[in-house]
Amino acid sequence: LFPESITTEQQSMVLVKRLLAISVSCITYMRGLFPESSYGTRYLDDLCLKILREDKSCLGSLQIVKWIQGCFDALEKQYVSVFFTSFNGTVTELYQFKFKYKKKVPQMDISSNHREFVTGLSSKDVKQASRLLLRRLYLLMQDLGPLPNDITVTMKLLYYNDVTPNDYQPPGFKEDASSGDLLFGGDPVNLRVGSVSTDFHLMKVKVTTDKKRMRKAGSNLIQKNGPTEISHQGLDCEEEEEEESAKINLLNLAFSQEEVIGPEKKRKVSEPEKLPLNGRK
């Protein structure tokens, strides 16, 4: 499943892509979105993974695969900062994948007077973190109550504005025409699933769901006092900002867009066509 070694930027990108694809596959499978025929089976140690494939008999799963491939394009160009998927117009579950791109800085070897890249993270540690992330995600999915029969799946990409061309859209996506805020239905709780860091990339995963859907109220993943309204600007705030905003019940960070990127320039967001899934079994 993972590259044998994760010491180059290309190997790191392969890992991040696979983690994203496996995670989204896990979410759609465990939440019962598509039939068994839409998934292939792979094993990670003793963990059985169901991974989406291009199933032409199921247009919904085929569309999700194309959306993931569109995100891959934005990842390769180092444009995308947050990828998220949610269910229904009034959001009932929200899955956030945050990406950061690291620049390796050459360090001076004093004894030889040569500059060289010093590897900070071993492939073994990165793979272990990847396994832990997937296990925690699977455990969380098992802990959530069922979704309604009729739902709409939405995916959006948020970008780093300073490097992303204004006219850029990955395959399968278009400019987001929504107001910018996501209204959450119910009593939301934030769940930090985990993160994986290489020498080149960082990927963090967080889930927001209705508290009533949590079968184990004492989950150690829960962040208390989650938002009922989430702005696009607030989706990729730093950990310190997240800790501070946890004290606020209604989160609307529109003001911070003006502080960070100016009053005339809103956050660039892409979305595909919404995917209605009616009468799921």
Side-chain angles (χ1 to χ4, degrees):
L1 281 177
F2 303 134
E4 191 68 28
S5 176
I6 309 168
T7 56
T8 69
E9 188 170 6
Q10 183 178 8
Q11 291 167 341
S12 177
M13 176 56 64
V14 169
L15 173 75
V16 171
K17 285 181 178 179
R18 290 183 182 175
L19 278 175
L20 176 62
I22 294 170
S23 297
V24 174
S25 297
C26 163
I27 293 164
T28 62
Y29 182 79
M30 299 296 287
R31 305 309 278 135
L33 299 192
F34 306 118
E36 189 77 26
S37 61
S38 297
Y39 299 88
T41 301
R42 298 289 296 274
Y43 286 89
L44 181 63
D45 300 329
D46 60 339
L47 185 62
C48 179
L49 302 174
K50 296 292 185 176
I51 301 176
L52 277 168
R53 58 188 179 188
E54 295 187 74
D55 179 12
K56 294 182 179 180
S57 66
C58 179
L59 295 180
S61 63
L62 191 63
Q63 192 65 54
I64 295 289
V65 170
K66 292 186 180 300
W67 291 353
I68 294 173
Q69 291 171 344
C71 185
F72 286 173
D73 184 82
L75 275 170
E76 290 173 354
K77 292 179 170 64
Q78 298 191 359
Y79 292 163
V80 66
S81 65
V82 178
F83 166 94
F84 75 87
T85 181
S86 60
F87 302 138
N88 290 353
T90 300
V91 179
T92 57
E93 277 184 17
L94 177 69
Y95 298 85
Q96 297 181 47
F97 298 83
K98 179 178 179 180
F99 305 100
K100 285 188 175 181
Y101 311 96
K102 305 177 185 179
K103 300 295 183 183
K104 291 200 72 174
V105 179
Q107 299 183 10
M108 181 70 75
D109 183 341
I110 298 176
S111 60
S112 63
N113 201 30
H114 287 204
R115 289 189 176 189
E116 61 179 15
F117 287 115
V118 178
T119 302
L121 295 164
S122 70
S123 298
K124 181 180 178 181
D125 290 341
V126 172
K127 290 180 182 179
Q128 183 60 30
S130 302
R131 292 187 185 96
L132 180 60
L133 175 70
L134 294 175
R135 285 184 180 278
R136 286 166 69 94
L137 186 59
Y138 261 78
L139 287 172
L140 173 60
M141 294 297 99
Q142 293 172 6
D143 193 33
L144 296 179
L147 289 167
N149 284 335
D150 297 336
I151 65 169
T152 297
V153 179
T154 301
M155 289 189 180
K156 299 197 182 203
L157 301 181
L158 282 68
Y159 301 93
Y160 289 107
N161 275 16
D162 57 338
V163 295
T164 307
N166 290 332
D167 59 352
Y168 171 76
Q169 295 295 340
F173 285 77
K174 62 180 182 179
E175 185 176 352
D176 179 33
S178 67
S179 63
D181 289 339
L182 306 170
L183 183 62
F184 201 98
D187 184 9
V189 290
N190 289 324
L191 309 166
R192 288 184 181 174
V193 181
S195 64
V196 174
S197 181
T198 74
D199 286 327
F200 303 92
H201 302 92
L202 171 65
M203 184 177 105
K204 296 181 181 179
V205 183
K206 187 169 74 171
V207 178
T208 306
T209 188
D210 189 345
K211 188 175 182 179
K212 295 177 182 177
R213 205 168 281 147
M214 293 291 298
R215 290 177 175 147
K216 298 177 183 176
S219 173
N220 59 3
L221 301 178
I222 292 179
Q223 290 177 256
K224 296 181 180 179
N225 300 324
T228 56
E229 186 175 327
I230 308 170
S231 75
H232 286 160
Q233 186 67 25
L235 284 172
D236 65 335
C237 53
E238 297 296 330
E239 295 297 329
E240 295 80 7
E241 293 173 343
E242 289 177 355
E243 293 292 342
E244 186 65 26
S245 67
K247 302 174 185 176
I248 305 172
N249 197 38
L250 184 65
L251 180 62
N252 190 335
L253 300 180
F255 69 89
S256 64
Q257 291 195 22
E258 297 188 6
E259 294 177 0
V260 177
I261 54 179
E264 302 299 326
K265 190 175 181 182
K266 291 185 178 181
R267 186 66 181 271
K268 179 177 174 61
V269 183
S270 294
E271 67 173 358
E273 296 293 337
K274 291 182 174 58
L275 179 63
L277 299 175
N278 301 321
R280 296 177 302 113
K281 293 183 179 180

